[in-house]
């Protein structure tokens, strides 16, 4: 699975959009981009995933660049409860979905 | 529908003892994954099991660690002769199938080895 690179930390004001970037320049054609988050040492929580089209669900939006070498997770109206470590993970289709968590981005939402 | 359950939530063992960690997947889920999170690090995959089968154990240490998921009952991660370096949070996740998009994680078991 391709390696991902994320900034170690970011701050965001409550109520504003949080944009979390992820680089995955070695991603291959059959690999998906997944996002999970971990709130204060709890079990990780799935957020969203995509292959090449932009995706949106009730939690977030995922924007994947046309060359698929990077993506951005968008939390449209961040709340204090969104403070967490966010992990961008590349997963090969057809695999057993073994998730490889990197260092992630610590997002702190400020009041 | 209850989520993934893990017990105990906290486990303290002395060096050389055995640790048994249990994971009950969500109802209807037959696939279980175990991960380990060392302090200040991300989660690392250990093993993937279906009922009565180990599918992928590429992340399991070669010695002292074993996992099972019997036909009845929870999945068990067993660590024999624990050492201080085994101190970590152990998370299990479940899914209905191998190709299901989301893994549902439990709250974790925090193992402390004295």
């Amino acid at each position: 699975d391709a390696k991902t690179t994320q900034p170690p930390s970011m701050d965001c004001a409550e109520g504003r959009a949080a944009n979390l970037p992820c680089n995955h320049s070695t991603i291959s054609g059959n690999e998906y981009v997944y996002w999970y988050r971990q709130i204060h040492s709890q079990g990780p929580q799935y957020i969203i995933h995509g292959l090449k089209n932009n995706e949106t669900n009730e939690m977030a939006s995922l924007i994947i660049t046309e060359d698929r070498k990077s993506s951005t997770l968008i939390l449209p109206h961040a709340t204090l409860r969104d403070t967490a470590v966010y992990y961008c993970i590349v997963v090969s289709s057809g695999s057993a979905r073994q998730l490889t968590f990197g260092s992630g981005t610590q997002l702190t939402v400020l009041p | 529908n209850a989520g993934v359950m893990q017990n105990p939530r906290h486990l303290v063992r002395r060096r050389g003892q055995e640790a048994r960690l249990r994971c009950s997947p969500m109802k209807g889920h037959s696939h279980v994954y175990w991960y380990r999170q060392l302090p200040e690090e991300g989660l690392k995959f250990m093993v993937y099991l279906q009922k009565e089968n180990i599918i992928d154990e590429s992340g399991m240490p070669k010695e002292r660690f074993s996992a099972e998921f019997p036909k009845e009952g929870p999945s068990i991660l067993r660590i024999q002769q624990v050492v201080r370096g085994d101190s970590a949070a152990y998370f299990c996740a479940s899914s209905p199938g191998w190709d299901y998009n989301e893994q549902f994680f439990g709250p974790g078991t925090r193992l402390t080895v004295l």
Side-chain angles (χ1 to χ4, degrees), chain B residues 34-77:
Chain B
W34 284 94
Y35 294 82
R36 176 167 65 174
Q37 186 171 32
L38 296 170
E40 308 302 323
E41 293 187 14
L43 281 77
K44 302 286 188 233
F45 169 81
M46 299 181 76
V47 62
Y48 161 42
L49 310 103
Q50 283 179 263
K51 287 281 188 181
E52 300 184 279
N53 286 303
I54 296 174
I55 306 302
D56 180 355
E57 56 182 347
S58 58
M60 286 280 269
K62 294 288 184 268
E63 297 176 347
R64 302 188 297 107
F65 285 72
S66 62
E68 62 177 8
F69 189 15
K71 188 176 179 181
E72 302 291 338
S75 175
I76 306 287
L77 179 68

Side-chain angles (χ1 to χ4, degrees), chain A residues 66-105:
Chain A
E66 194 167 339
D67 63 8
R68 303 210 322 123
K69 293 183 185 302
S70 66
S71 60
T72 301
L73 178 74
I74 301 173
L75 307 179
H77 305 286
T79 70
L80 299 179
R81 286 191 298 271
D82 292 321
T83 293
V85 178
Y86 287 77
Y87 296 98
C88 168
I89 304 168
V90 170
V91 178
S92 174
S93 69
S95 75
R97 301 300 164 106
Q98 171 195 125
L99 299 177
T100 302
F101 290 79
S103 308
T105 295

